[in-house]
């Protein structure tokens, strides 16, 4: 197929040669994911999550396009149209559960992909832009997922949309007008549902465009690797095809096994029972929670109360609510600055004995934030959320810059080949 | 050096993910609940090969029809759906024909009443939500089509573990059964508002629904004794079906897909080993 070597029999084919001469698409593909793309030979299984995220995006787009054929974006019809998909459309329950759980698994793949980048320093020169595009993908995913969750028009859809869009009202001067614009009126109602539906269809293709840019930027310098040492020559690399095509395919098999287990045997595990109650503007659910992948952000948002120490320095300037909103968006946007916040010249945590610890503490901190986001803001959870939020920003703004200066990294290997004494995983 | 580090890290993150997933589970519970944990029931539809017990789900339909339907609608269910739980085409037709529905306009431009057909929805006890609320002290009785998915821990799940109630695999159906059998005398000093009933499983314990099931409240044609727990069990089984009518097809397909993917992934792994065998 297209992944053959340029000199292969495939490229000798008359039709292929005719097309290739006019539009070199076959050599383009070969240089992207074929034998013409040299990849570091020591990439481990953590490097599978990029292709897994790509697979998840494709699953989401394909299942989403089919869902749109049956869905009705109107407040009086949306809930029942989703139930019609579940009950009357042939295979509708499967498509809908694929899309519902696909969102969760897309985020699982992307979060692991991001933490892999953080551990092995994949964001450092010359891959800063690659990393920034990745952060933009994460932001676009979050916007898409949020608007998608509103579409079934259940209780959590409605109240989630109400709570999150209301956040923008904290912005001085333009806040109220911005919220009115988001809603298309003065409450969350049919115009809101319609614009969210429109944007929920648009944004995945924006993500797709960003992903293409992400891969383009990746291919300029090639993949980072577990040693973080630059590729020194051909002895350090192997062709992407067949080595990493088969490795990615194997990873996809494992990923699909886990993903489809949830689809078929626990399809509502990640969901909220309340979203099977049609939206009711007069009945607020006792406990409004976002989907799990927003929980760390939600915890940061809610950490900002009048008593929170991080709020004090700005308390003369803004309300705690606005500070929380800025912190929540800032916690994601700040990720884009990590290439400059991390002052260490060594990429991989493998040769950074102290950073390695701080990395795992950061992972733990993020999980704690997720747990805090899942619980009502009362008792111990408030304090825990504020401590974890403080640590989150301390890690990015203090620990990363200082550690790069103070830490004494281990000696990095001469080259990838020199470090590899056994077949890379 | 590299191999064990990676594996340990992998294990660490998977463990962390599992712990966090488990910790997130209570979000699906109603925050205000605080009742005793609904007892875990042995539903036939649980597990990888679960199915709805046909006799039970049909008895459950009878309980719904003769008891619940007085106040609760079942808007998402059409008579033809009853074929899924073992009724024959003729039986479905006869069941539908017991009720009338307004149709039209006819060629003269007039609305008319006709018998329901299998493609018609189940009749609703009230003409609209306002009427339902007016007849029930201001709050309409909820539609029951999705009730087992919309309560407590939600629908059927092979892995749902409630961390709030360690060791418990409660699902929405367990909660509905517990609610139907959970009526009792209010404890001394409990202030009961007028029209309320005490139910130990309902959030806040004050439920507007009077105890719906009484011993021998219905007469089962298959001779099963209509105890409260039997009727509660059967009607919950029925409502689990109305909430997840795709459950049997889903699990049947799921088992096949899992087996296929296991074989495919195994072969991909073997191929990966083979292709990578010359890399040092």
């Amino acid at each position: 197929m297209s992944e053959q070597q340029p000199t292969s029999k495939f490229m000798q084919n008359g039709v292929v040669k005719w097309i290739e001469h006019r539009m070199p698409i076959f050599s383009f593909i070969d240089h992207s994911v074929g034998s013409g793309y040299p990849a570091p030979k020591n990439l481990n299984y953590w490097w599978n999550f990029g292709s897994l995220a790509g697979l998840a995006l494709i699953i989401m787009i394909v299942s989403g396009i089919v869902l749109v054929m049956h869905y009705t974006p109107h407040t009086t019809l949306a809930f029942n149209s989703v139930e019609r998909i579940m009950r009357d459309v042939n295979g509708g329950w499967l498509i809908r559960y694929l899309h519902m759980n696909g969102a969760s698994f897309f985020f699982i793949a992307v979060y692991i992909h991001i933490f892999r980048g953080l551990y092995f320093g994949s964001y450092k020169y010359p891959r800063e832009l690659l990393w920034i595009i990745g952060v933009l993908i994460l932001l676009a995913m979050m916007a898409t997922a949020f608007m998608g969750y509103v579409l079934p028009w259940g209780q959590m859809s409605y109240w989630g949309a109400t709570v999150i869009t209301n956040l923008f009202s904290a912005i001085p001067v333009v806040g109220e007008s911005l919220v009115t614009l988001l809603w298309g009126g003065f409450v969350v109602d049919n115009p809101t549902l319609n614009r969210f539906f429109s944007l929920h269809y648009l944004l995945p293709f924006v993500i797709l465009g960003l992903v293409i840019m992400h891969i383009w930027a990746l291919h300029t310098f090639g993949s980072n690797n577990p040693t973080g040492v630059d590729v020194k020559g051909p002895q350090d690399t192997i062709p992407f095809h067949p080595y990493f095509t088969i490795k990615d395919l194997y990873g996809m098999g494992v990923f699909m096994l886990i993903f489809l287990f949830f689809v078929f045997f626990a399809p509502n595990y990640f969901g909220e029972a309340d979203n099977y109650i049609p939206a009711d503007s007069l009945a607020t659910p006792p406990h409004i929670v976002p989907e799990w992948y927003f929980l760390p952000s939600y915890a940061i948002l809610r950490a900002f109360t009048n008593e929170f120490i991080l709020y004090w320095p700005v308390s003369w300037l803004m309300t705690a609510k606005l500070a929380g909103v800025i912190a929540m968006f800032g916690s994601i946007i700040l990720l884009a600055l990590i290439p400059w916040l991390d002052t260490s010249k060594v990429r991989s945590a493998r040769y950074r004995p102290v950073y390695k610890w701080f990395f795992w503490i950061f992972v733990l901190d993020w999980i704690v934030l997720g747990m805090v986001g899942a619980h009502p803001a009362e008792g111990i959870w408030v304090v825990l959320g504020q401590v974890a939020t403080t640590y989150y920003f301390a890690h990015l703004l203090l620990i990363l810059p200082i550690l790069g200066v103070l830490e004494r990294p281990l000696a990095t290997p001469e080259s990838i080949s020199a470090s590899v004494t056994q077949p890379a995983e | 050096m590299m191999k064990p580090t990676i594996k340990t890290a992998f294990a660490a993150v998977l463990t962390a993910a599992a712990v966090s997933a488990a910790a997130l589970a209570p979000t699906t519970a109603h925050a205000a609940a605080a009742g005793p944990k609904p007892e875990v029931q042995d539903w036939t539809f649980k597990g990888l090969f679960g199915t709805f017990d046909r006799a039970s789900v049909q008895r459950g339909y009878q309980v719904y029809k003769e008891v619940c339907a007085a106040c609760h609608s079942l808007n998402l269910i059409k008579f033809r759906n009853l074929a899924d739980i073992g009724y024959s085409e003729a039986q479905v037709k006869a069941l539908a024909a017991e009720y009338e529905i307004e149709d039209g306009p006819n060629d003269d431009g007039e609305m008319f009443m006709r018998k329901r057909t299998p493609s018609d929805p189940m009749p609703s006890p009230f003409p609209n939500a306002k009427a339902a609320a007016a007849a029930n002290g201001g709050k309409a009785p909820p539609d029951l089509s999705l009730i087992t998915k919309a309560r407590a821990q939600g629908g059927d799940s092979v892995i749902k573990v409630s961390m709030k109630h360690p060791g418990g695999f409660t699902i929405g159906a367990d909660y509905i059964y517990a609610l139907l059998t959970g009526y009792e005398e209010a404890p001394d000093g409990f202030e009961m508002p007028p029209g309320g009933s005490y139910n130990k499983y309902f959030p806040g314990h004050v439920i507007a629904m009077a105890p719906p099931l009484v011993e021998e409240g219905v007469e089962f044609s298959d001779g099963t004794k209509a105890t409260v727990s039997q009727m509660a069990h059967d009607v919950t089984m029925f409502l689990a079906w109305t909430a997840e009518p795709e459950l049997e097809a889903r699990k049947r397909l799921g088992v096949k897909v899992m087996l296929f993917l296991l074989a495919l992934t195994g072969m991909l792994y073997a191929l990966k080993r083979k292709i990578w065998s010359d890399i040092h």
Side-chain angles (χ1 to χ4, degrees):
Chain A
M1 263 187 42
S2 48
E3 289 142 2
Q4 296 296 307
Q5 295 179 16
T7 50
S8 69
K9 228 163 146 190
F10 177 82
M11 295 304 279
Q12 305 301 317
N13 179 292
V15 179
V16 171
K17 275 163 83 174
W18 188 91
I19 296 172
E20 180 71 16
H21 182 66
R22 285 153 185 84
M23 179 178 72
I25 185 166
F26 297 108
S27 52
F28 174 77
I29 291 169
D30 187 63
H31 288 130
S32 301
V33 290
S35 53
Y37 176 49
K41 60 200 262 185
N42 61 335
L43 299 186
N44 57 40
Y45 274 108
W46 294 111
W47 262 262
N48 275 55
F49 288 91
S51 71
L52 293 179
L55 173 68
L57 176 63
I58 292 165
I59 291 172
M60 292 308 281
I61 289 180
V62 172
S63 58
I65 286 172
V66 181
L67 285 177
V68 169
M69 296 174 190
H70 304 282
Y71 169 77
T72 312
H74 192 282
T75 51
T76 57
L77 301 167
F79 188 89
N80 283 344
S81 78
V82 172
E83 280 305 315
R84 205 189 82 83
I85 292 170
M86 292 297 292
R87 289 154 195 271
D88 292 341
V89 172
N90 289 330
W93 58 265
L94 177 57
I95 298 159
R96 198 269 177 133
Y97 278 156
L98 280 172
H99 201 71
M100 217 172 102
N101 289 280
S104 284
F105 277 82
F106 194 5
F107 273 100
I108 290 172
V110 163
Y111 282 141
I112 295 177
H113 186 63
I114 291 170
F115 279 118
R116 187 272 285 153
L118 287 175
Y119 187 85
F120 293 106
S122 300
Y123 46 83
K124 290 183 188 179
Y125 175 85
R127 297 183 184 84
E128 302 96 323
L129 189 56
L130 170 63
W131 174 262
I132 290 170
I133 296 168
V135 175
L136 292 178
I137 293 173
L138 177 63
L139 278 170
M141 276 175 67
M142 288 179 143
T144 311
F146 165 64
M147 287 189 274
Y149 192 62
V150 175
L151 303 185
W153 210 245
Q155 274 288 67
M156 275 310 167
S157 300
Y158 178 86
W159 289 99
T162 303
V163 169
I164 300 300
T165 50
N166 255 318
L167 295 178
F168 292 91
S169 68
I171 299 168
V173 190
V174 293
E176 294 294 335
S177 332
L178 190 62
V179 173
T180 308
L181 185 69
L182 279 172
W183 288 346
F186 300 103
V187 282
V188 173
D189 207 338
N190 199 48
T192 325
L193 177 61
N194 278 300
R195 59 197 59 200
F196 279 21
F197 176 56
S198 169
L199 294 173
H200 184 70
Y201 206 115
L202 169 71
L203 281 180
F205 297 98
V206 173
I207 294 175
L208 188 65
L210 287 168
V211 167
I212 291 169
M213 287 165 69
H214 193 64
I215 296 171
W216 185 8
L218 170 71
H219 281 70
T220 310
F221 287 96
S223 291
N224 181 33
N225 68 84
T227 66
V229 176
D230 284 330
V231 167
K232 299 275 158 50
Q235 72 282 2
D236 288 344
T237 65
I238 45 178
F240 191 85
H241 181 75
Y243 295 102
F244 287 105
T245 39
I246 185 62
K247 195 174 173 182
D248 280 350
L249 278 173
Y250 166 54
M252 286 176 187
V254 176
F255 180 79
M256 289 305 283
L257 264 170
I258 301 169
F259 167 47
L260 291 180
F261 179 84
F262 278 87
V263 167
F264 286 109
F265 299 110
N268 294 298
Y269 180 79
F270 293 106
E272 292 293 325
D274 273 41
N275 224 29
Y276 283 107
I277 304 170
D280 182 352
S281 60
L282 301 174
T284 316
H287 183 195
I288 301 173
V289 272
E291 289 285 82
W292 70 267
Y293 36 78
F294 291 134
L295 291 176
S297 304
Y298 193 53
I300 291 173
L301 170 78
R302 292 194 308 179
F304 281 79
T305 62
N306 286 327
E307 293 77 38
F308 185 28
I309 191 162
L310 285 192
Y311 172 59
W312 293 349
V314 291
S315 59
W316 58 277
L317 191 63
M318 60 179 82
T319 60
K321 183 183 170 187
L322 179 58
V325 173
I326 293 172
M328 178 177 73
F329 286 107
S331 69
I332 306 293
I333 293 165
L334 214 49
L335 296 176
L337 300 178
I338 286 181
W340 296 278
L341 291 169
D342 181 354
T343 50
S344 175
K345 292 275 173 281
V346 177
R347 286 201 192 101
S348 175
R350 192 173 282 180
Y351 307 104
R352 297 186 62 190
V354 186
Y355 172 72
K356 190 186 273 179
W357 281 100
F358 279 107
F359 169 81
W360 288 110
I361 296 170
F362 187 61
V363 173
L364 191 71
D365 184 65
W366 185 77
I367 291 170
V368 168
L369 280 171
M371 287 161 63
V372 170
H375 288 84
E378 53 198 29
I380 181 75
W381 295 109
V382 178
V383 183
L384 205 56
Q386 295 182 338
V387 171
T389 300
T390 309
Y391 186 82
Y392 183 94
F393 288 106
H395 176 89
L396 296 179
L397 295 172
L398 296 175
I399 295 170
L400 281 185
I402 295 171
L403 204 58
V405 179
L406 296 185
E407 185 184 42
R408 292 185 78 187
L410 306 177
T412 51
E414 278 299 296
S415 71
I416 292 170
S417 300
S419 78
V420 177
T421 51
Q422 55 188 332
E425 267 197 296
Chain B
M1 262 316 278
M2 180 182 111
K3 237 176 162 176
T5 324
I6 294 299
K7 288 225 170 99
T8 322
F10 219 108
V13 160
L14 287 183
T15 315
V19 167
S20 60
L24 300 186
T27 59
T28 47
H30 282 255
K37 172 199 169 191
E39 217 163 290
V40 176
Q41 304 295 323
D42 196 15
W43 304 107
T44 58
F45 57 79
K46 287 213 287 200
L48 297 185
F49 305 96
T51 54
F52 297 107
D53 176 350
R54 290 295 185 276
S56 171
V57 82
Q58 290 192 8
R59 285 195 301 269
Y61 172 51
Q62 190 187 343
V63 175
Y64 166 74
K65 196 173 142 183
E66 294 178 15
V67 182
C68 320
C71 300
H72 293 279
S73 58
L74 205 55
N75 287 335
L76 299 174
I77 300 300
K78 301 192 169 62
F79 282 100
R80 63 177 161 78
N81 297 133
L82 293 173
D84 294 354
I85 52 171
Y87 289 100
S88 71
E89 207 177 315
Q91 282 173 313
V92 170
K93 260 190 182 152
L95 286 167
E98 289 175 25
Y99 305 93
E100 289 204 314
I101 190 170
E102 187 180 54
D103 202 350
N106 62 15
D107 292 345
D108 299 325
E110 275 157 26
M111 305 302 283
F112 60 94
M113 297 301 285
R114 63 160 175 81
K115 283 185 175 166
R116 291 192 187 228
T117 66
S119 62
D120 286 317
M122 299 238 167
S124 188
F126 300 102
N128 54 60
K130 284 262 165 68
N136 287 281
K139 200 161 182 296
D143 182 84
L144 294 185
S145 312
L146 281 162
I147 204 77
T148 66
K149 254 174 151 177
R151 288 295 182 275
Q153 302 286 304
D156 165 62
S157 163
V158 171
I159 50 167
K160 186 148 264 169
V161 187
S162 165
M163 288 295 284
K164 248 186 195 147
H165 307 291
F169 287 74
T170 55
I171 55 175
D174 294 326
Y175 169 72
I176 299 298
Y177 175 83
L179 186 83
L180 289 172
T181 55
Y183 286 90
E184 53 186 40
E185 286 292 315
D188 286 340
F190 188 89
E191 214 170 297
M192 180 61 63
S197 299
Y198 187 87
N199 189 304
K200 61 177 168 177
Y201 294 105
F202 193 72
H205 302 305
V206 181
I207 186 166
M209 175 169 71
L213 302 174
V214 289
E215 294 288 323
E216 308 287 346
V218 298
E219 196 179 320
F220 290 131
S221 57
D222 63 0
T224 306
K225 194 166 158 33
T227 60
V228 168
S229 65
Q230 181 67 47
M231 288 185 286
H233 176 271
D234 291 343
V235 80
T236 305
M237 179 84 78
F238 173 70
L239 293 174
W241 167 73
T242 64
E244 300 186 82
E246 88 298 339
L247 182 144
E248 292 182 0
R250 170 157 60 76
K251 292 184 173 182
R252 265 199 314 271
L253 182 58
V255 169
K256 288 179 203 156
V257 168
M258 287 293 115
L259 289 175
F260 168 78
L261 269 179
L262 270 174
L264 178 73
T265 307
M267 286 193 287
L268 287 171
Y269 181 63
L271 195 56
K272 191 258 162 191
R273 289 283 299 257
K274 173 86 180 62
I275 290 173
W276 278 72
S277 60
D278 62 342
I279 299 292
H280 297 288

